[in-house]
Amino acid sequence: MQYTSQTLERIISELSKLPGIGRKTAQRLAFHVLKQPRNEVAILAQSLLDLKEKIIRCSLCFNITETDPCSICMNTKRDRRTICVVEEANDVLAIERTDQYRGLYHVLGGLLNPLDGIGPGDIRIKELLERVDSMQEVILAINPNVSGDATIMYIAEKLSGLPVKISRIARGIPIGSDLEFADMTTLTRAMEGRVTVR
Amino acid sequence: MQYTSQTLERIISELSKLPGIGRKTAQRLAFHVLKQPRNEVAILAQSLLDLKEKIIRCSLCFNITETDPCSICMNTKRDRRTICVVEEANDVLAIERTDQYRGLYHVLGGLLNPLDGIGPGDIRIKELLERVDSMQEVILAINPNVSGDATIMYIAEKLSGLPVKISRIARGIPIGSDLEFADMTTLTRAMEGRVTVR
């Protein structure tokens, strides 16, 4: 097949790289963009660039933020004795969406996965341990799968002996699913139903 | 819900405007982009801008192109006595993909739709009529729906009296589909459009 435009071919190829976007969807998106006013497209393009330019990691909790420390870490109304450990920044968003949790967060940036060669040094466990001293409870809000369980066990082991309660959110989240896609009620119940690991 | 980042909120809102992309998909895309290297994101953003900057309409067939006239109109190997009339530029791509058609194109830029106030002056019918003089056949490759049928009837009417063959592409059962699942209208058209096997 011969496209009449290199530019079109390039945007279709670029859009196809996005997750869940195949060639046909990419083509449909490209033709949609082509019909949009120039300033609308400029806003979209600039938003993409801003994402990389303006968003940084909070040096305390490693959540994504535009200010360091992030607004959650800076919020004096939040419970500074409770920390919720998650895999990625989108998990913070999912939990914030329930509007139930009032403590702080810690974003690991991954889960232990020996098969993929991801060990404790590759995710932010050391940084977590440094923060735990001042905490009353560590809530492990980590996806219930093999890597998640391994990570929970590892963290629980590392924290054993410290005077801190460790809990994991209830496995109300369907096994094999992703925390990010849980509905608010399920996620709220899972938070409430957290069980003590030790 | 309070997002921790205005920038993230903005890109999610921008991506949600795209067809077939809801809020959750937009969020997933945004987090994907966030993980990409900066230069990859810059390429994507630039490709979007290029789409509006570099792509123009061919002044002959109104297909999208980067050069005017477009590569199809300029191609001396193509049959200049046959013209295929389509609704939008993506229909040209679909037909080119079959690698069977060797004539020229004419992109209407829409279909007649009195209910939406789209009349003959709003689509490129006048421009088509100006091109028909030198043609042997006009193939109407227009979607078989109410607007499509109205457009086909209107063009056929306008061309009546001219020494040019007018055809429309066959309506029938899609290849690989099942007759059992075809709607009544499609099946009726397929029966009407039956072709002699031997």
Side-chain angles (χ1 to χ4, degrees):
Chain A
M1 180 182 60
Q2 177 211 3
Y3 270 121
T4 50
S5 162
Q6 289 286 321
T7 304
L8 187 68
E9 180 53 55
R10 200 175 68 143
I11 183 70
I12 291 173
S13 140
E14 286 301 320
L15 289 172
S16 302
K17 291 179 188 169
L18 296 172
I21 303 218
R23 221 186 137 73
K24 279 205 169 173
T25 306
Q27 189 181 308
R28 192 158 48 88
L29 291 175
F31 276 103
H32 172 86
V33 168
L34 205 50
K35 282 186 195 165
Q36 297 308 298
R38 185 173 302 213
N39 65 321
E40 280 285 316
V41 179
I43 289 170
L44 174 59
Q46 190 56 51
S47 304
L48 284 166
L49 293 173
D50 282 354
L51 207 57
K52 293 302 290 184
E53 293 295 329
K54 292 189 182 170
I55 292 189
I56 53 174
R57 292 275 175 187
C58 172
S59 58
L60 297 175
C61 73
F62 303 97
N63 188 15
I64 56 166
T65 176
E66 286 174 60
T67 55
D68 187 21
C70 74
S71 59
I72 295 175
C73 286
M74 292 288 274
N75 189 340
T76 53
K77 287 183 182 155
R78 297 195 73 120
D79 171 15
R80 314 191 79 76
R81 312 270 287 161
T82 308
I83 193 165
C84 178
V85 180
V86 296
E87 180 183 351
E88 290 291 359
N90 42 356
D91 299 325
V92 173
L93 282 188
I95 293 170
E96 283 297 285
R97 219 176 283 144
T98 68
D99 214 17
Q100 299 291 316
Y101 178 68
R102 288 280 165 259
L104 304 180
Y105 289 96
H106 187 85
V107 179
L108 290 174
L111 295 177
L112 295 181
N113 191 337
L115 289 180
D116 287 350
I118 301 172
D122 299 311
I123 61 178
R124 301 185 197 96
I125 286 182
K126 185 169 67 75
E127 292 85 345
L128 171 65
L129 301 179
E130 285 163 6
R131 297 179 71 192
V132 165
D133 265 355
S134 56
M135 299 294 167
Q136 240 161 13
E137 181 173 2
V138 177
I139 302 172
L140 303 168
I142 289 174
N143 289 327
N145 54 34
V146 175
S147 298
D149 288 345
T151 309
I152 287 170
M153 295 305 285
Y154 183 86
I155 293 174
E157 171 71 25
K158 280 284 171 187
L159 297 180
S160 68
L162 293 178
V164 61
K165 183 182 168 189
I166 307 167
S167 58
R168 63 177 290 173
I169 56 169
R171 273 160 283 191
I173 315 287
I175 307 299
S177 178
D178 201 308
L179 201 139
E180 185 187 350
F181 303 118
D183 66 277
M184 288 197 298
T185 317
T186 305
L187 198 49
T188 302
R189 295 282 168 270
M191 289 291 283
E192 286 170 352
R194 62 188 185 269
V195 292
T196 308
V197 173
R198 63 167 183 91
Chain B
M1 178 182 62
Q2 179 212 359
Y3 271 121
T4 50
S5 162
Q6 289 286 322
T7 305
L8 188 67
E9 179 53 54
R10 200 175 70 146
I11 182 70
I12 291 172
S13 143
E14 286 300 319
L15 290 171
S16 302
K17 292 179 187 169
L18 296 172
I21 303 218
R23 221 187 137 71
K24 279 203 169 176
T25 306
Q27 187 181 308
R28 190 159 48 88
L29 291 176
F31 276 103
H32 172 85
V33 169
L34 204 51
K35 283 186 196 164
Q36 297 307 299
R38 183 172 304 213
N39 66 321
E40 280 285 317
V41 179
I43 289 170
L44 174 58
Q46 191 56 51
S47 305
L48 283 166
L49 293 173
D50 283 352
L51 207 56
K52 292 302 290 184
E53 294 295 330
K54 293 191 184 167
I55 292 190
I56 55 174
R57 291 274 175 188
C58 172
S59 59
L60 297 175
C61 72
F62 303 97
N63 189 14
I64 55 166
T65 176
E66 286 173 61
T67 54
D68 187 21
C70 75
S71 60
I72 294 175
C73 287
M74 293 288 275
N75 189 340
T76 52
K77 287 183 182 155
R78 298 194 72 120
D79 171 15
R80 315 190 77 78
R81 310 270 289 161
T82 307
I83 192 165
C84 178
V85 181
V86 295
E87 180 182 352
E88 292 290 0
N90 43 355
D91 299 325
V92 173
L93 283 189
I95 294 169
E96 283 298 285
R97 218 175 288 143
T98 68
D99 213 16
Q100 298 293 316
Y101 179 68
R102 288 279 165 259
L104 303 181
Y105 289 95
H106 187 85
V107 179
L108 289 174
L111 295 177
L112 294 181
N113 190 338
L115 289 179
D116 288 350
I118 300 172
D122 300 311
I123 62 178
R124 301 185 196 96
I125 286 182
K126 185 167 68 73
E127 291 84 346
L128 171 64
L129 300 180
E130 285 164 6
R131 299 179 70 193
V132 165
D133 266 356
S134 55
M135 299 295 164
Q136 239 161 14
E137 180 172 2
V138 177
I139 301 172
L140 302 169
I142 290 174
N143 289 326
N145 53 34
V146 175
S147 298
D149 287 346
T151 309
I152 287 169
M153 294 304 285
Y154 184 88
I155 293 174
E157 171 70 27
K158 281 282 171 188
L159 298 182
S160 69
L162 293 178
V164 61
K165 183 182 169 190
I166 307 167
S167 58
R168 63 178 291 172
I169 55 170
R171 288 165 293 181
I173 314 292
I175 307 302
S177 178
D178 201 315
L179 203 133
E180 183 183 353
F181 304 124
D183 63 275
M184 288 194 300
T185 318
T186 302
L187 201 47
T188 304
R189 295 282 173 265
M191 291 290 281
E192 284 172 359
R194 64 189 181 273
V195 292
T196 308
V197 175
R198 65 177 180 88

